Amino acid sequence: MVVVTGQNKVSGNPDDAMSSSDAEDDFQEPATPTATQAGQALPLLPQQFPEVVPLNVGGMYFTTRLSTLRRYEDTMLSAMFSGRHYIPTDSEGRYFIDRDGTYFGDILNFLRAGDLPPRERVRSVYKEAQYYSIGPLLDNLEDIQPLKGEKVRQAFLGLMPYYKDHLERIIEIAKLRAMQRKARFAKLKVCVFKEEMPITPYECPHFNSLRFERSESETKLFEHHCEVDVSFGPWEAVADVYDLLHCIVTDLSDRGITVDHQCIGVCDKHLINHYYCKRPIYEFKITWW
């Protein structure tokens, strides 16, 4: 029997013709895919989001428009819901964000209508705005209290050398003394002084002029360290000693440390002639429980 395929003729000679089994083997032999073909086999499609987006933020549920989440381009939320990244869903199909959702409602309110949180939540919402990289919200929060006042306070503390290191030293000394004595509280002495040059009451009216008239060798005669645990100062600003004391107590309290302080006198160290130190000394009492 002769089979005609197109213009070619195949004779019935078994030596010249291909057997059916050989033809099947040739047909079933897999071809090696090219790199282009492999890439086209499993295309990476962007994630599609509905116009109304259900959210699960750390176990708290929210619903908002997709356009709200994309309100500002350079934010984490805009990037997350751009379709370029995969976001998992919970058992109910809500898009899951692994973050505490306590203040996420305030984030959404700003994205929706520019609303700002009440004063008592400003610091916490600011922290969330930093996480989600919402620049416009950060700018607005920094311009209201209490963050606006904090910027002014930090500008003052920026003049204070080793301020944070001294705070840590207060904590470490108080903890060590309390543990050594098995006591509920510990006391330590802290010197807070604004002026670099020690003075006596007789110098006060002419302090500025006397300060600059002293030679370098004379100045060294006044250099000393008060016998205290920690010393803050000097600094050049309108803010005075009581302002710095307020900062110290506030920052310790923010770390959960109970602190009381009172002035117990001045440093009476004699320097030269009628000059004495006269820097104020404060007793800090740190209560641990």
Side-chain angles (χ1 to χ4, degrees):
M1 179 179 178
V2 178
V3 180
V4 179
T5 304
Q7 300 297 325
N8 297 325
K9 295 181 180 180
V10 181
S11 64
N13 189 337
D15 295 331
D16 297 332
M18 180 184 293
S19 67
S20 60
S21 61
D22 292 339
E24 289 178 358
D25 291 341
D26 290 341
F27 180 77
Q28 294 176 356
E29 183 179 351
T32 302
T34 62
T36 303
Q37 291 173 335
Q40 292 175 348
L42 295 173
L44 298 176
L45 297 176
Q47 189 173 12
Q48 301 296 320
F49 298 101
E51 183 178 356
V52 178
V53 182
L55 298 170
N56 178 346
V57 185
M60 300 183 68
Y61 305 142
F62 303 89
T63 303
T64 189
R65 293 175 62 91
L66 181 61
S67 59
T68 299
L69 297 172
R70 296 176 176 176
R71 176 63 53 85
Y72 299 103
E73 293 183 0
D74 298 329
T75 68
M76 180 184 293
L77 289 174
S78 179
M80 291 172 65
F81 290 90
S82 65
R84 302 190 303 269
H85 307 282
Y86 173 75
I87 302 179
T89 57
D90 62 12
S91 59
E92 300 296 328
R94 304 182 186 91
Y95 294 98
F96 181 72
I97 299 177
D98 193 11
R99 182 77 176 175
D100 187 353
T102 304
Y103 303 101
F104 192 76
D106 293 301
I107 298 293
L108 286 181
N109 287 337
F110 177 79
L111 295 177
R112 288 165 177 157
D115 295 338
L116 297 177
R119 179 172 178 175
E120 62 270 16
R121 294 207 300 268
V122 166
R123 292 182 185 273
S124 298
V125 176
Y126 185 83
K127 183 178 180 180
E128 293 303 296
Q130 287 180 313
Y131 176 79
Y132 293 110
S133 301
I134 306 176
L137 178 54
L138 292 172
D139 293 339
N140 278 271
L141 293 176
E142 288 175 354
D143 201 38
I144 61 176
Q145 290 287 52
L147 294 183
K148 189 171 186 178
E150 181 63 17
K151 290 177 66 176
V152 177
R153 192 178 81 97
Q154 290 299 328
F156 161 58
L157 293 178
L159 303 175
M160 196 65 49
Y162 311 110
Y163 176 76
K164 292 183 178 180
D165 293 337
H166 291 339
L167 285 183
E168 293 297 330
R169 182 168 173 78
I170 288 176
I171 296 172
E172 288 301 317
I173 292 175
K175 181 176 68 174
L176 180 61
R177 288 181 181 173
M179 293 179 67
Q180 288 176 339
R181 301 172 183 176
K182 309 299 186 294
R184 182 166 164 261
F185 61 87
K187 295 181 179 179
L188 61 160
K189 292 181 179 180
V190 177
C191 177
V192 181
F193 65 100
K194 181 177 180 180
E195 305 292 351
E196 183 175 8
M197 191 72 71
I199 60 174
T200 66
Y202 303 102
E203 286 188 279
C204 288
H206 308 288
F207 174 73
N208 290 332
S209 61
L210 291 174
R211 176 180 181 179
F212 293 104
E213 288 177 358
R214 292 170 179 159
S215 65
E216 182 178 353
S217 59
E218 290 175 329
T219 300
K220 291 182 178 180
L221 295 174
F222 294 89
E223 293 180 354
H224 82 288
H225 298 284
C226 302
E227 296 180 359
V228 295
D229 298 297
V230 182
S231 186
F232 290 85
W235 68 90
E236 294 184 3
V238 175
D240 59 20
V241 169
Y242 299 103
D243 296 320
L244 181 58
L245 285 170
H246 181 272
C247 290
I248 297 172
V249 173
T250 298
D251 289 335
L252 291 175
S253 298
D254 287 344
R255 298 181 60 172
I257 297 175
T258 302
V259 54
D260 296 306
H261 69 280
Q262 61 177 345
C263 184
I264 58 174
V266 296
C267 177
D268 284 325
K269 185 173 181 179
H270 178 255
L271 301 177
I272 183 175
N273 297 332
H274 62 283
Y275 292 101
Y276 293 81
C277 175
K278 301 302 181 185
R279 291 170 179 168
I281 306 297
Y282 294 84
E283 181 182 75
F284 275 53
K285 180 181 178 181
I286 308 294
T287 303
W288 290 107
W289 81 86

